[in-house]
Amino acid sequence: MKKILICNRGEIAIRVAKAIRELGHIAVGFYTDSEPEASHLEYCHEWVHLKGSSNTETYLNIEQIVELIKLHKIDAVHPGYGFLSENTEFCKRLEELGTIFIGPHSDAIHKMGDKAVSKQMAKEAGVPVVPGSTGEIDSAEEAASIAKDIGYPVLLKAVAGGGGKGMRVVNDESELSKSFDAVRREALSSFGNPGVLVEKFIVNPHHIEVQIIADNNGNIFHCYERECSIQRRHQKIVEEAPSPFIGSDEELRLDVCNTAIKLAKAVNYNSAGTVEFIMGEDKSFYFLEMNTRIQVEHPITEEITGIDLLVNMIKSALGEPLDFSSQEEISIKGHAIECRVCAEDPITMLPAPGQVNGFEYTFPQGIRFDHCIYNGLEVKSDFDPMIGKLIGYGHNRNVVIRKLDNALDGLLIEGLKTNVPLHKVILKEENFKKGLYTTNYIGEVAPQEGVEATKDVESLYKKAIAIEMNALQEGRGK
Ligand code: ADP
Ligand code: ADP
Ligand code: MG
């Protein structure tokens, strides 16, 4: 039995705790001064006080966390996603302490954590990369000369970026110098590293990513792809597996998956991770980045493959064999879609913190809801606004859309704004229903413009129920 510390909060802390319990280990969770009753604590065997309120004082505070690891004799640490999950220094400190980091070795995090370095590595491994600079660029002039070669539009990207931040599309040379300075500034303030690269902006693309799972003995497997092209501000909001764009093109599917394995092998990958690609209209695809951690959208892969990624990630770190021993044992059955439930305005899609004062749900068969919501939950602006993930699984894509649509009707989160009304519009929208969408979907199809109408129907429905209740009470009174 190992004592495993979860260095995270929210829905992913609960997901990790469930996997730890399933394997019979001891789940240790943090509580902070600002979240003394975090919902993940209910799933943990032991609770540890992580002093402070802000993220820098708590979940990003390596010194305090290392002290607590020593004090509580922790055997292994799961970092979740975000926070310290891709922090080389943290991983190295644990390696020095002899505490197991449930993730890849620090060298893989280091190499894949920098978009310029990882691109170079991918190139050397024979993985296609987006045309552009091979490393960081030092000036707007350098960017301009590369842009002249590859052609506009181009994308300026922070090498240390993540979460869709630190990126800017440039349409012609006149915008270049202003955008270059802006991305550099944002990169320095958000990621503490001003490095920028320039690459071709692929038009009408698809975000296709491959799930990797590897053990500690050099065995690397893929669990097929996910399509995450429905995005706002370069951040995913709906993901599905398998990809409707790849569809029944099995040759392409295998090509993408084997390309991901090639890169994972090049860094001796030894955990769960994701290789992200951008795929053009002509199905040519290029490496974007590798996320060396468990990803938000991992559940859809778990649904279609039947593989528990968290459990296998933990087993891998503990040096145990995975639940399977050959690639042939991993296959796709059915379809899965995930809707990220965020505390945000469904029309502007901007964070809308607040307090939950009502929470109920009734779901059809085939629905999984990974969340951290409870009546009274306060969603603060310091954290990511994502509070849950509604995951539908079924025989085929149409079945899943129907189930999710029903599930969204059965999900009531009161007291704050959520993007549930936006998801309802997307699931009913013709292009989405046909599986015809690119990363331009939100910008071009603008489902958010359809949100008002849905809201009206809802308020009419609520009014009708109120009238009915009144009549009932009056009837009883008489
Ligand atoms: P995924 O690829 O798993 O969907 P996202 O890009 O949505 O990941 O990010 C998952 C979480 O990690 C979000 O909370 C996001 O804000 C955070 N995150 C991702 N990359 C970084 C980074 N480089 N720095 C800080 N936070 C990050
Ligand atoms: P992050 O670390 O923030 O996740 P990524 O490099 O993975 O950054 O890119 C996030 C999203 O930005 C992609 O899913 C895609 O929609 C868009 N994007 C990134 N690079 C390109 C590109 N070269 N051309 C077109 N879109 C891109
Ligand atoms: Mg990404």
mmCIF file of all heavy atoms in Angstrom, residues 177-210:
data_model
loop_
_atom_site.group_PDB
_atom_site.id
_atom_site.type_symbol
_atom_site.label_atom_id
_atom_site.label_comp_id
_atom_site.label_asym_id
_atom_site.label_seq_id
_atom_site.Cartn_x
_atom_site.Cartn_y
_atom_site.Cartn_z
ATOM 1 N N SER A 177 5.278 43.559 -36.162
ATOM 2 C CA SER A 177 6.125 44.045 -35.086
ATOM 3 C C SER A 177 5.316 44.312 -33.814
ATOM 4 O O SER A 177 5.763 43.995 -32.708
ATOM 5 C CB SER A 177 6.926 45.252 -35.583
ATOM 6 O OG SER A 177 6.612 46.383 -34.882
ATOM 7 N N LYS A 178 4.083 44.830 -33.972
ATOM 8 C CA LYS A 178 3.227 45.085 -32.804
ATOM 9 C C LYS A 178 2.872 43.758 -32.110
ATOM 10 O O LYS A 178 2.946 43.633 -30.884
ATOM 11 C CB LYS A 178 1.949 45.812 -33.250
ATOM 12 C CG LYS A 178 1.518 46.889 -32.271
ATOM 13 C CD LYS A 178 0.340 47.691 -32.796
ATOM 14 C CE LYS A 178 -0.933 47.282 -32.076
ATOM 15 N NZ LYS A 178 -2.139 47.759 -32.731
ATOM 16 N N SER A 179 2.496 42.761 -32.919
ATOM 17 C CA SER A 179 2.104 41.468 -32.357
ATOM 18 C C SER A 179 3.278 40.762 -31.692
ATOM 19 O O SER A 179 3.122 40.116 -30.654
ATOM 20 C CB SER A 179 1.532 40.560 -33.452
ATOM 21 O OG SER A 179 0.386 41.147 -33.996
ATOM 22 N N PHE A 180 4.462 40.896 -32.295
ATOM 23 C CA PHE A 180 5.649 40.255 -31.736
ATOM 24 C C PHE A 180 5.906 40.769 -30.314
ATOM 25 O O PHE A 180 6.104 39.988 -29.378
ATOM 26 C CB PHE A 180 6.867 40.518 -32.637
ATOM 27 C CG PHE A 180 8.122 39.860 -32.150
ATOM 28 C CD1 PHE A 180 8.349 38.507 -32.388
ATOM 29 C CD2 PHE A 180 9.078 40.581 -31.435
ATOM 30 C CE1 PHE A 180 9.507 37.888 -31.921
ATOM 31 C CE2 PHE A 180 10.239 39.965 -30.976
ATOM 32 C CZ PHE A 180 10.449 38.617 -31.216
ATOM 33 N N ASP A 181 5.846 42.116 -30.159
ATOM 34 C CA ASP A 181 6.062 42.703 -28.829
ATOM 35 C C ASP A 181 4.990 42.247 -27.851
ATOM 36 O O ASP A 181 5.279 41.944 -26.694
ATOM 37 C CB ASP A 181 6.070 44.239 -28.919
ATOM 38 C CG ASP A 181 7.285 44.744 -29.694
ATOM 39 O OD1 ASP A 181 8.266 43.981 -29.779
ATOM 40 O OD2 ASP A 181 7.235 45.873 -30.219
ATOM 41 N N ALA A 182 3.724 42.187 -28.334
ATOM 42 C CA ALA A 182 2.616 41.806 -27.455
ATOM 43 C C ALA A 182 2.771 40.365 -26.962
ATOM 44 O O ALA A 182 2.602 40.082 -25.776
ATOM 45 C CB ALA A 182 1.282 41.975 -28.190
ATOM 46 N N VAL A 183 3.114 39.441 -27.873
ATOM 47 C CA VAL A 183 3.259 38.033 -27.478
ATOM 48 C C VAL A 183 4.435 37.859 -26.517
ATOM 49 O O VAL A 183 4.354 37.138 -25.527
ATOM 50 C CB VAL A 183 3.411 37.104 -28.715
ATOM 51 C CG1 VAL A 183 3.698 35.666 -28.301
ATOM 52 C CG2 VAL A 183 2.150 37.144 -29.571
ATOM 53 N N ARG A 184 5.529 38.577 -26.789
ATOM 54 C CA ARG A 184 6.706 38.516 -25.895
ATOM 55 C C ARG A 184 6.359 38.958 -24.479
ATOM 56 O O ARG A 184 6.712 38.310 -23.505
ATOM 57 C CB ARG A 184 7.804 39.439 -26.438
ATOM 58 C CG ARG A 184 8.959 38.693 -27.052
ATOM 59 C CD ARG A 184 10.074 39.645 -27.419
ATOM 60 N NE ARG A 184 11.244 39.408 -26.580
ATOM 61 C CZ ARG A 184 12.075 38.381 -26.739
ATOM 62 N NH1 ARG A 184 11.845 37.497 -27.672
ATOM 63 N NH2 ARG A 184 13.119 38.231 -25.952
ATOM 64 N N ARG A 185 5.609 40.076 -24.415
ATOM 65 C CA ARG A 185 5.195 40.617 -23.104
ATOM 66 C C ARG A 185 4.294 39.620 -22.376
ATOM 67 O O ARG A 185 4.490 39.315 -21.208
ATOM 68 C CB ARG A 185 4.442 41.945 -23.305
ATOM 69 C CG ARG A 185 5.150 43.139 -22.678
ATOM 70 C CD ARG A 185 4.371 44.425 -22.887
ATOM 71 N NE ARG A 185 4.390 44.860 -24.267
ATOM 72 C CZ ARG A 185 3.308 45.072 -25.036
ATOM 73 N NH1 ARG A 185 2.107 44.896 -24.559
ATOM 74 N NH2 ARG A 185 3.427 45.460 -26.282
ATOM 75 N N GLU A 186 3.299 39.096 -23.103
ATOM 76 C CA GLU A 186 2.360 38.149 -22.492
ATOM 77 C C GLU A 186 3.089 36.878 -22.053
ATOM 78 O O GLU A 186 2.816 36.327 -20.987
ATOM 79 C CB GLU A 186 1.253 37.803 -23.501
ATOM 80 C CG GLU A 186 0.058 37.143 -22.834
ATOM 81 C CD GLU A 186 -1.042 36.768 -23.817
ATOM 82 O OE1 GLU A 186 -1.243 37.515 -24.800
ATOM 83 O OE2 GLU A 186 -1.689 35.729 -23.595
ATOM 84 N N ALA A 187 4.046 36.452 -22.885
ATOM 85 C CA ALA A 187 4.797 35.231 -22.570
ATOM 86 C C ALA A 187 5.590 35.410 -21.281
ATOM 87 O O ALA A 187 5.603 34.532 -20.421
ATOM 88 C CB ALA A 187 5.730 34.884 -23.724
ATOM 89 N N LEU A 188 6.201 36.578 -21.138
ATOM 90 C CA LEU A 188 7.008 36.834 -19.945
ATOM 91 C C LEU A 188 6.130 36.918 -18.701
ATOM 92 O O LEU A 188 6.426 36.303 -17.676
ATOM 93 C CB LEU A 188 7.820 38.132 -20.121
ATOM 94 C CG LEU A 188 8.789 38.463 -18.991
ATOM 95 C CD1 LEU A 188 9.846 37.376 -18.842
ATOM 96 C CD2 LEU A 188 9.458 39.816 -19.227
ATOM 97 N N SER A 189 4.995 37.641 -18.808
ATOM 98 C CA SER A 189 4.166 37.806 -17.612
ATOM 99 C C SER A 189 3.404 36.532 -17.255
ATOM 100 O O SER A 189 3.251 36.215 -16.081
ATOM 101 C CB SER A 189 3.220 39.002 -17.771
ATOM 102 O OG SER A 189 2.245 38.699 -18.720
ATOM 103 N N SER A 190 2.945 35.770 -18.243
ATOM 104 C CA SER A 190 2.170 34.563 -17.914
ATOM 105 C C SER A 190 3.029 33.342 -17.656
ATOM 106 O O SER A 190 2.666 32.485 -16.864
ATOM 107 C CB SER A 190 1.198 34.211 -19.042
ATOM 108 O OG SER A 190 0.390 35.282 -19.371
ATOM 109 N N PHE A 191 4.138 33.213 -18.380
ATOM 110 C CA PHE A 191 4.905 31.966 -18.279
ATOM 111 C C PHE A 191 6.339 32.170 -17.787
ATOM 112 O O PHE A 191 7.107 31.211 -17.688
ATOM 113 C CB PHE A 191 4.928 31.242 -19.636
ATOM 114 C CG PHE A 191 3.558 31.109 -20.249
ATOM 115 C CD1 PHE A 191 3.217 31.828 -21.386
ATOM 116 C CD2 PHE A 191 2.606 30.284 -19.668
ATOM 117 C CE1 PHE A 191 1.942 31.718 -21.938
ATOM 118 C CE2 PHE A 191 1.338 30.164 -20.215
ATOM 119 C CZ PHE A 191 1.001 30.891 -21.356
ATOM 120 N N GLY A 192 6.715 33.429 -17.525
ATOM 121 C CA GLY A 192 8.052 33.713 -17.020
ATOM 122 C C GLY A 192 9.158 33.437 -18.024
ATOM 123 O O GLY A 192 10.314 33.276 -17.658
ATOM 124 N N ASN A 193 8.790 33.322 -19.294
ATOM 125 C CA ASN A 193 9.770 33.046 -20.355
ATOM 126 C C ASN A 193 9.310 33.800 -21.607
ATOM 127 O O ASN A 193 8.239 33.522 -22.130
ATOM 128 C CB ASN A 193 9.805 31.522 -20.596
ATOM 129 C CG ASN A 193 10.719 31.121 -21.752
ATOM 130 O OD1 ASN A 193 11.223 31.965 -22.501
ATOM 131 N ND2 ASN A 193 10.910 29.828 -21.917
ATOM 132 N N PRO A 194 10.118 34.781 -22.071
ATOM 133 C CA PRO A 194 9.669 35.613 -23.193
ATOM 134 C C PRO A 194 9.857 34.975 -24.578
ATOM 135 O O PRO A 194 9.516 35.584 -25.588
ATOM 136 C CB PRO A 194 10.538 36.859 -23.047
ATOM 137 C CG PRO A 194 11.805 36.349 -22.450
ATOM 138 C CD PRO A 194 11.431 35.193 -21.564
ATOM 139 N N GLY A 195 10.395 33.746 -24.636
ATOM 140 C CA GLY A 195 10.688 33.103 -25.915
ATOM 141 C C GLY A 195 9.460 32.962 -26.816
ATOM 142 O O GLY A 195 8.386 32.582 -26.369
ATOM 143 N N VAL A 196 9.660 33.287 -28.102
ATOM 144 C CA VAL A 196 8.564 33.225 -29.076
ATOM 145 C C VAL A 196 9.035 32.470 -30.318
ATOM 146 O O VAL A 196 10.193 32.547 -30.703
ATOM 147 C CB VAL A 196 8.139 34.663 -29.483
ATOM 148 C CG1 VAL A 196 7.160 34.660 -30.654
ATOM 149 C CG2 VAL A 196 7.526 35.407 -28.296
ATOM 150 N N LEU A 197 8.124 31.709 -30.940
ATOM 151 C CA LEU A 197 8.450 31.096 -32.232
ATOM 152 C C LEU A 197 7.401 31.537 -33.254
ATOM 153 O O LEU A 197 6.330 32.030 -32.886
ATOM 154 C CB LEU A 197 8.530 29.564 -32.128
ATOM 155 C CG LEU A 197 7.308 28.733 -31.745
ATOM 156 C CD1 LEU A 197 6.358 28.516 -32.920
ATOM 157 C CD2 LEU A 197 7.758 27.357 -31.249
ATOM 158 N N VAL A 198 7.729 31.376 -34.518
ATOM 159 C CA VAL A 198 6.762 31.742 -35.555
ATOM 160 C C VAL A 198 6.520 30.515 -36.429
ATOM 161 O O VAL A 198 7.449 29.746 -36.722
ATOM 162 C CB VAL A 198 7.256 32.957 -36.393
ATOM 163 C CG1 VAL A 198 8.556 32.655 -37.129
ATOM 164 C CG2 VAL A 198 6.192 33.389 -37.416
ATOM 165 N N GLU A 199 5.248 30.275 -36.776
ATOM 166 C CA GLU A 199 4.953 29.157 -37.665
ATOM 167 C C GLU A 199 3.780 29.486 -38.554
ATOM 168 O O GLU A 199 3.049 30.447 -38.319
ATOM 169 C CB GLU A 199 4.723 27.851 -36.875
ATOM 170 C CG GLU A 199 3.518 27.847 -35.982
ATOM 171 C CD GLU A 199 3.432 26.585 -35.114
ATOM 172 O OE1 GLU A 199 4.445 25.922 -34.834
ATOM 173 O OE2 GLU A 199 2.306 26.263 -34.694
ATOM 174 N N LYS A 200 3.600 28.701 -39.599
ATOM 175 C CA LYS A 200 2.510 28.931 -40.534
ATOM 176 C C LYS A 200 1.198 28.699 -39.801
ATOM 177 O O LYS A 200 1.065 27.759 -39.033
ATOM 178 C CB LYS A 200 2.627 27.970 -41.715
ATOM 179 C CG LYS A 200 1.635 28.290 -42.809
ATOM 180 C CD LYS A 200 2.105 27.818 -44.168
ATOM 181 C CE LYS A 200 1.126 28.221 -45.254
ATOM 182 N NZ LYS A 200 1.079 29.687 -45.463
ATOM 183 N N PHE A 201 0.228 29.585 -40.029
ATOM 184 C CA PHE A 201 -1.090 29.389 -39.457
ATOM 185 C C PHE A 201 -1.886 28.547 -40.451
ATOM 186 O O PHE A 201 -2.155 28.963 -41.565
ATOM 187 C CB PHE A 201 -1.781 30.742 -39.195
ATOM 188 C CG PHE A 201 -3.117 30.589 -38.512
ATOM 189 C CD1 PHE A 201 -3.186 30.157 -37.195
ATOM 190 C CD2 PHE A 201 -4.298 30.867 -39.190
ATOM 191 C CE1 PHE A 201 -4.414 30.001 -36.563
ATOM 192 C CE2 PHE A 201 -5.528 30.714 -38.559
ATOM 193 C CZ PHE A 201 -5.581 30.280 -37.249
ATOM 194 N N ILE A 202 -2.181 27.321 -40.044
ATOM 195 C CA ILE A 202 -2.898 26.404 -40.929
ATOM 196 C C ILE A 202 -4.364 26.836 -40.973
ATOM 197 O O ILE A 202 -4.985 27.011 -39.919
ATOM 198 C CB ILE A 202 -2.791 24.940 -40.403
ATOM 199 C CG1 ILE A 202 -1.331 24.578 -40.052
ATOM 200 C CG2 ILE A 202 -3.405 23.948 -41.381
ATOM 201 C CD1 ILE A 202 -0.390 24.454 -41.215
ATOM 202 N N VAL A 203 -4.916 27.020 -42.177
ATOM 203 C CA VAL A 203 -6.305 27.488 -42.245
ATOM 204 C C VAL A 203 -7.282 26.313 -42.255
ATOM 205 O O VAL A 203 -6.978 25.237 -42.767
ATOM 206 C CB VAL A 203 -6.577 28.432 -43.446
ATOM 207 C CG1 VAL A 203 -5.918 29.783 -43.224
ATOM 208 C CG2 VAL A 203 -6.116 27.813 -44.749
ATOM 209 N N ASN A 204 -8.461 26.553 -41.672
ATOM 210 C CA ASN A 204 -9.512 25.526 -41.536
ATOM 211 C C ASN A 204 -8.972 24.195 -41.017
ATOM 212 O O ASN A 204 -9.223 23.144 -41.593
ATOM 213 C CB ASN A 204 -10.206 25.274 -42.883
ATOM 214 C CG ASN A 204 -10.910 26.510 -43.383
ATOM 215 O OD1 ASN A 204 -11.476 27.265 -42.581
ATOM 216 N ND2 ASN A 204 -10.868 26.737 -44.683
ATOM 217 N N PRO A 205 -8.225 24.233 -39.922
ATOM 218 C CA PRO A 205 -7.606 22.991 -39.464
ATOM 219 C C PRO A 205 -8.452 22.221 -38.445
ATOM 220 O O PRO A 205 -9.462 22.718 -37.934
ATOM 221 C CB PRO A 205 -6.340 23.495 -38.788
ATOM 222 C CG PRO A 205 -6.751 24.796 -38.180
ATOM 223 C CD PRO A 205 -7.839 25.371 -39.059
ATOM 224 N N HIS A 206 -7.968 21.026 -38.171
ATOM 225 C CA HIS A 206 -8.562 20.181 -37.140
ATOM 226 C C HIS A 206 -7.507 19.937 -36.079
ATOM 227 O O HIS A 206 -6.349 19.687 -36.398
ATOM 228 C CB HIS A 206 -8.992 18.836 -37.739
ATOM 229 C CG HIS A 206 -10.080 19.003 -38.741
ATOM 230 N ND1 HIS A 206 -11.403 18.758 -38.459
ATOM 231 C CD2 HIS A 206 -10.044 19.429 -40.027
ATOM 232 C CE1 HIS A 206 -12.130 19.022 -39.532
ATOM 233 N NE2 HIS A 206 -11.331 19.438 -40.492
ATOM 234 N N HIS A 207 -7.932 19.981 -34.818
ATOM 235 C CA HIS A 207 -7.026 19.614 -33.730
ATOM 236 C C HIS A 207 -7.227 18.122 -33.477
ATOM 237 O O HIS A 207 -8.291 17.699 -33.038
ATOM 238 C CB HIS A 207 -7.333 20.425 -32.465
ATOM 239 C CG HIS A 207 -6.521 20.008 -31.276
ATOM 240 N ND1 HIS A 207 -5.583 20.817 -30.693
ATOM 241 C CD2 HIS A 207 -6.498 18.846 -30.583
ATOM 242 C CE1 HIS A 207 -5.014 20.166 -29.688
ATOM 243 N NE2 HIS A 207 -5.558 18.964 -29.591
ATOM 244 N N ILE A 208 -6.192 17.352 -33.790
ATOM 245 C CA ILE A 208 -6.248 15.899 -33.603
ATOM 246 C C ILE A 208 -5.119 15.539 -32.644
ATOM 247 O O ILE A 208 -3.981 15.962 -32.842
ATOM 248 C CB ILE A 208 -6.012 15.153 -34.943
ATOM 249 C CG1 ILE A 208 -6.946 15.663 -36.043
ATOM 250 C CG2 ILE A 208 -6.104 13.641 -34.748
ATOM 251 C CD1 ILE A 208 -8.364 15.190 -36.006
ATOM 252 N N GLU A 209 -5.432 14.782 -31.610
ATOM 253 C CA GLU A 209 -4.385 14.404 -30.658
ATOM 254 C C GLU A 209 -4.438 12.913 -30.381
ATOM 255 O O GLU A 209 -5.482 12.279 -30.523
ATOM 256 C CB GLU A 209 -4.522 15.205 -29.362
ATOM 257 C CG GLU A 209 -5.873 15.017 -28.690
ATOM 258 C CD GLU A 209 -6.053 15.870 -27.452
ATOM 259 O OE1 GLU A 209 -5.596 17.022 -27.442
ATOM 260 O OE2 GLU A 209 -6.668 15.381 -26.490
ATOM 261 N N VAL A 210 -3.286 12.362 -30.001
ATOM 262 C CA VAL A 210 -3.193 10.929 -29.770
ATOM 263 C C VAL A 210 -2.831 10.667 -28.314
ATOM 264 O O VAL A 210 -1.887 11.259 -27.776
ATOM 265 C CB VAL A 210 -2.136 10.286 -30.700
ATOM 266 C CG1 VAL A 210 -1.986 8.792 -30.414
ATOM 267 C CG2 VAL A 210 -2.515 10.507 -32.162
#
